[in-house]
Amino acid sequence: MPNPSAAMLVVGDEILSGRTRDSNMHHLAMTLVEAGIDLVEVRIVPDDPDAIINAVRALSESCDHVFTSGGIGPTHDDITAENVARAFDLPIAIRGDAYGILETHYAAAGLDFNEARKRMARIPDGARLIENPVSAAPGFIIRNVHVMAGVPTVFKAMLANVLPGLAGGEKVLSETLRLECGEGDIACQLGKLAEKYPDLSFGSYPFRENGCYGTNIVVRGKSADQVEGAIDDLKTVVMN
Amino acid sequence: MPNPSAAMLVVGDEILSGRTRDSNMHHLAMTLVEAGIDLVEVRIVPDDPDAIINAVRALSESCDHVFTSGGIGPTHDDITAENVARAFDLPIAIRGDAYGILETHYAAAGLDFNEARKRMARIPDGARLIENPVSAAPGFIIRNVHVMAGVPTVFKAMLANVLPGLAGGEKVLSETLRLECGEGDIACQLGKLAEKYPDLSFGSYPFRENGCYGTNIVVRGKSADQVEGAIDDLKTVVMN
């Protein structure tokens, strides 16, 4: 059986302008591999209603799980929550439980719980909250879409909170063989191995180090025996 | 007049599995800002024919320029070139000029110009080559799609080669104001400023440093006077 599929939607002008370097995607990718969920697409879009709505609809339809990051803070350019709601034609309004969490948090911190911060209590109808142990403002899950913060510490904490509730598949194992030859030197044999092991994936990644070049071959699959067998075959090929 | 728009398509299982951390996107984003071209979408897809074909078609239609990275090497999983050709229903075959470049390169390097390496001379009908001063194998431009390598040094060199041929717009200027207050403390005023300056964009990015928290406000726009004016307004607001 194939593993469940996932997509990520990163929302934010700051990523597309190069101001901020996204790190959530890499964290999500590594976490999903461990959980046996295949990340099959990532999209990065600006803080634009139509861009968010279209991407949420497309990814929610094509994948089992969708994870969004960014755009759920208190400022005017944080428009992810309302546009995820619009993508599913759902109303969104300030909700009591989210409001209570924020009210308690700001009271304890001695900070003004102003109109801008109250926006963070807006939750689409029917969504479940995702706890935010870092800065209180919750994310939410609606249909198969997990709406989470862009701040990396918060994103990580929210992801850790939702993961146990997701049905995973078999973990994909990977093994790397480092070769001191060019990618092109091994490419023909690698192609033949890929045909011999149709359930495995073979990646080849050239590198340069201290003026020398080489290639890392990464073999990935769900069967440890097959991965090991392919690595052994590779070693035999290279030695001949 | 709005600036030309651009999209990026990153092709590669290794990015989606978390094995490799993409750096080309960030480089492209910063380079396009300088050139006055707005990066409006990024998609990351696996080494899968349909995923590549669909993304190339969608992005080529919605944006003025498309830049791809990855999947043009010598191995069996390098399938970007043939699927970009298929996206436009174009034939692809080994072409004399690309073949000559590679033949000369491998002869000089004393390396076998084998079948796998010859794959890198396959160019869709009607494409223009993009020079690769690092490892010879060329990229190509077909319609509005620039097909480039995934290896960061090669991607950078190819991008530098194609940029002078692209019509750019006005450079977007940006200025950052560092505030020692929470994002929510300034959000209401920021929203009002965004209304006052409809041609500018205002981003707000919370940070934590040495246990203190603060917010960087980034004002972006094409008019230096307006950006400066907004920053002055912001300073006034914060001091009151």
Side-chain angles (χ1 to χ4, degrees):
Chain A
M1 223 181 75
N3 282 349
S5 63
M8 180 180 197
L9 176 64
V10 180
V11 180
D13 290 350
E14 71 278 17
I15 310 286
L16 293 168
S17 72
R19 185 193 171 272
T20 303
R21 195 167 169 159
D22 171 69
S23 64
N24 294 328
M25 189 244 130
H26 188 244
H27 175 73
L28 179 68
M30 291 191 303
T31 305
L32 292 182
V33 165
E34 288 294 317
I37 297 172
D38 293 343
L39 183 61
V40 297
E41 182 166 353
V42 176
R43 293 194 192 182
I44 310 177
V45 301
D47 303 311
D48 171 78
D50 287 339
I52 298 170
I53 292 170
N54 292 336
V56 167
R57 284 181 182 161
L59 298 176
S60 166
E61 198 156 309
S62 65
C63 293
D64 295 319
H65 307 294
V66 179
F67 302 89
T68 80
S69 76
I72 62 168
T75 59
H76 66 285
D77 59 335
D78 288 308
I79 60 170
T80 300
E82 64 215 59
N83 288 298
V84 170
R86 284 174 64 193
F88 296 123
D89 295 314
L90 291 170
I92 180 168
I94 286 183
R95 206 167 82 180
D97 51 357
Y99 190 94
I101 290 168
L102 288 163
E103 195 174 30
T104 307
H105 170 77
Y106 287 111
L111 290 168
D112 186 20
F113 187 34
N114 57 25
E115 287 310 309
R117 287 177 168 138
K118 285 175 187 168
R119 288 183 80 233
M120 296 192 286
R122 292 172 314 145
I123 304 292
D125 267 22
R128 282 178 293 144
L129 298 189
I130 302 174
E131 199 192 328
N132 169 359
V134 179
S135 52
F140 59 83
I141 306 170
I142 185 75
R143 309 278 168 92
N144 62 343
V145 180
H146 301 73
V147 177
M148 307 195 285
V151 176
T153 50
V154 185
F155 181 85
K156 278 186 189 177
M158 286 184 171
L159 182 61
N161 279 339
V162 301
L163 262 187
L166 297 176
E170 276 180 86
K171 188 183 160 184
V172 175
L173 308 165
S174 88
E175 201 158 324
T176 301
L177 187 67
R178 181 188 162 98
L179 302 177
E180 290 181 356
C181 67
E183 202 183 5
D185 290 319
I186 190 76
C188 297
Q189 296 94 323
L190 202 61
K192 284 178 198 151
L193 269 187
E195 280 173 28
K196 177 176 172 188
Y197 294 96
D199 293 338
L200 302 181
S201 84
F202 294 78
S204 114
Y205 307 105
F207 63 83
R208 261 166 214 261
E209 236 175 63
N210 307 324
C212 298
Y213 61 94
T215 307
N216 279 315
I217 307 293
V218 180
V219 181
R220 303 177 74 239
K222 293 179 187 172
S223 153
D225 286 351
Q226 281 198 20
V227 170
E228 197 117 331
I231 290 280
D232 285 344
D233 284 3
L234 257 173
K235 285 179 183 164
T236 310
V237 163
V238 174
M239 285 195 288
N240 294 333
Chain B
M1 222 181 77
N3 282 350
S5 63
M8 180 180 197
L9 176 63
V10 179
V11 180
D13 290 350
E14 71 277 18
I15 310 287
L16 293 168
S17 72
R19 184 193 172 274
T20 303
R21 195 166 169 160
D22 171 69
S23 64
N24 294 328
M25 189 243 129
H26 189 243
H27 176 72
L28 180 69
M30 291 191 303
T31 305
L32 292 181
V33 164
E34 288 294 317
I37 297 173
D38 293 344
L39 183 61
V40 298
E41 182 166 354
V42 176
R43 293 194 193 181
I44 309 176
V45 300
D47 303 311
D48 171 78
D50 287 340
I52 298 170
I53 292 170
N54 292 335
V56 166
R57 284 182 181 158
L59 299 174
S60 166
E61 199 157 310
S62 66
C63 293
D64 295 319
H65 307 293
V66 180
F67 302 89
T68 81
S69 76
I72 62 167
T75 58
H76 66 284
D77 59 335
D78 288 308
I79 59 169
T80 300
E82 64 213 60
N83 288 298
V84 170
R86 284 174 63 191
F88 296 124
D89 295 314
L90 291 171
I92 181 168
I94 287 184
R95 207 167 83 181
D97 51 357
Y99 190 93
I101 291 168
L102 289 162
E103 195 174 29
T104 307
H105 171 75
Y106 287 111
L111 290 169
D112 185 21
F113 187 34
N114 56 25
E115 288 310 308
R117 287 178 169 138
K118 285 176 186 166
R119 287 183 80 231
M120 297 192 286
R122 292 173 315 146
I123 305 292
D125 267 20
R128 281 179 294 144
L129 299 188
I130 303 174
E131 199 192 327
N132 169 359
V134 179
S135 50
F140 59 82
I141 307 170
I142 184 76
R143 310 278 169 91
N144 61 344
V145 181
H146 301 72
V147 176
M148 306 194 285
V151 176
T153 50
V154 185
F155 181 85
K156 277 186 188 174
M158 287 183 171
L159 183 61
N161 278 339
V162 301
L163 263 186
L166 297 175
E170 277 180 88
K171 188 183 160 184
V172 175
L173 308 163
S174 88
E175 202 157 325
T176 301
L177 188 67
R178 182 189 161 98
L179 301 177
E180 291 181 356
C181 67
E183 203 184 8
D185 289 319
I186 190 77
C188 297
Q189 296 94 322
L190 202 61
K192 283 177 197 152
L193 269 188
E195 279 173 28
K196 179 177 170 188
Y197 295 96
D199 294 335
L200 301 181
S201 85
F202 293 78
S204 112
Y205 308 104
F207 64 84
R208 263 165 212 262
E209 234 175 62
N210 307 324
C212 298
Y213 62 94
T215 307
N216 279 316
I217 307 292
V218 180
V219 182
R220 304 177 73 238
K222 293 179 188 173
S223 153
D225 286 352
Q226 281 199 20
V227 170
E228 198 118 329
I231 289 280
D232 285 345
D233 285 3
L234 256 174
K235 285 179 182 164
T236 312
V237 162
V238 175
M239 285 196 289
N240 293 334

